[in-house]
Amino acid sequence: MLTRIDHIGIACFDLDRTVEFYRATYGFEVFHSEVNEEQGVREAMLKINETSDGGASYLQLLEPTREDSAVGKWLAKNGEGVHHIAFGTADVDTDAADIRDKGVRVLYDEPRKGSMGSRITFLHPKDCHGVLTELVTAAPSAPDDH
Ligand code: MC0
């Protein structure tokens, strides 16, 4: 069952400058940052609020590490902006299978590594009214360091 908006992924050209915008404009601080080479992104997670399911909602700022990555290709075509939304679930395997059974393309056969040790998969935007949609199961205990 999908129980929260886990994050909104925002593609940017310059992660440091974008982080500074969110800090200076809204007061949001970086909760966690990492490079995910498989996904081709350098990312910063800004925690917005905790949620009633025991998780949290974040903004995820994404800078591509290579031009041929998903975010790199998307930025070249669209410029900066909202790249995807992510719903949180306690069981990404079951939810992905249920959604696949409804005829929506799930992009990975098995969930892959996401931010902060999470397990993630994606639904094809063409099957989701134009919205690239991610499903996330957080790691059992998410790190609280940077
Ligand atoms: C592409 N399209 C999108 C889109 N990306 N539509 C809405 N939102 C997006 N983000 C549309 C294009 O405009 C195009 O439509 C069609 O989909 C095919 O796109 P393409 O440019 O030809 O690219 P493809 O087909 O090679 O790849 C698109 C696909 C890819 C969604 C399959 O981006 C993908 O595998 N994404 C999942 C992985 C990902 O996004 N990783 C980055 C975040 P037209 O009408 O022009 O044909 S990593 C992340 O978020 C991790 C770290 C985490 O959360 O922990």
Side-chain angles (χ1 to χ4, degrees), residues 7 36 39 41 43 60 70-71 73-74 77 83-84 107-108 114-115 120 122 125-126 130 132 134:
H7 64 264
N36 185 325
Q39 294 291 339
V41 294
E43 63 171 77
Q60 181 185 59
V71 173
K73 286 171 60 179
W74 191 87
K77 185 173 170 186
H83 179 259
H84 66 271
L107 296 181
Y108 304 149
S115 186
I120 63 171
F122 288 89
K126 293 296 181 190
L132 176 61
E134 180 181 345

Side-chain angles (χ1 to χ4, degrees), residues 32-52:
H32 174 84
S33 59
E34 66 180 85
V35 173
N36 185 325
E37 287 295 356
E38 181 181 32
Q39 294 291 339
V41 294
R42 190 162 80 91
E43 63 171 77
M45 298 292 274
L46 315 182
K47 191 180 198 173
I48 307 304
N49 60 281
E50 298 185 348
T51 53
S52 59

Side-chain angles (χ1 to χ4, degrees), residues 86-139:
F87 296 123
T89 167
D91 186 351
V92 63
D93 301 87
T94 296
D95 282 314
D98 288 349
I99 290 169
R100 182 179 274 126
D101 284 348
K102 293 174 182 173
V104 174
R105 279 171 288 175
V106 176
L107 296 181
Y108 304 149
D109 290 335
E110 296 290 333
R112 297 183 185 174
K113 177 187 172 302
S115 186
M116 299 187 285
S118 61
R119 297 175 68 241
I120 63 171
T121 195
F122 288 89
L123 314 179
H124 201 289
K126 293 296 181 190
D127 295 347
C128 302
H129 296 267
V131 179
L132 176 61
T133 303
E134 180 181 345
L135 308 180
V136 183
T137 294

